[in-house]
Amino acid sequence: MYDYSQGRYISIGGAISESNVKVYDYSRSAHFGGNGHDGRFKLYDYGHSHHLSLEVSGNQYKGYDYGAGSHFSGKVNGYSTALYDYGNGAYFNYSV
């Protein structure tokens, strides 16, 4: 995945299904995952030691980062996404 804000590629691997997220961020050496249903997930970032909520509907998503104490939302367009972080008041763009 390419992170435009950092100007570099980030290596992430794992599996995502309709009920489970289990990924590993090689750039941070950290696991990330959790369970969900009907597009709503409760996730945990083991690298930053905090929970996140995520709701996915079609190509749009939104959630809450409990570690940062802020909401985020975004839209997937093909192989790219633009995530808006309400806490930072900024967009973060990624592509695969």
Side-chain angles (χ1 to χ4, degrees):
M1 176 170 62
Y2 190 78
D3 180 341
Y4 290 92
S5 66
Q6 294 185 41
R8 67 182 182 102
Y9 285 96
I10 298 170
S11 182
I12 297 175
I16 299 172
S17 71
E18 290 182 12
S19 61
N20 197 329
V21 174
K22 189 182 265 188
V23 297
Y24 188 77
D25 182 341
Y26 293 94
S27 62
R28 294 190 305 130
S29 300
H31 291 276
F32 183 90
N35 299 311
H37 66 292
D38 296 329
R40 294 174 186 241
F41 294 87
K42 293 180 180 180
L43 306 171
Y44 191 76
D45 182 336
Y46 291 89
H48 290 130
S49 301
H50 66 264
H51 293 274
L52 292 97
S53 65
L54 175 66
E55 185 176 335
V56 180
S57 179
N59 68 336
Q60 297 185 7
Y61 56 90
K62 62 183 178 179
Y64 188 78
D65 181 333
Y66 291 91
S70 65
H71 292 272
F72 61 88
S73 65
K75 184 175 182 179
V76 176
N77 185 10
Y79 294 102
S80 299
T81 187
L83 179 145
Y84 185 75
D85 181 335
Y86 290 88
N88 289 322
Y91 280 96
F92 294 90
N93 297 292
Y94 304 92
S95 64
V96 293

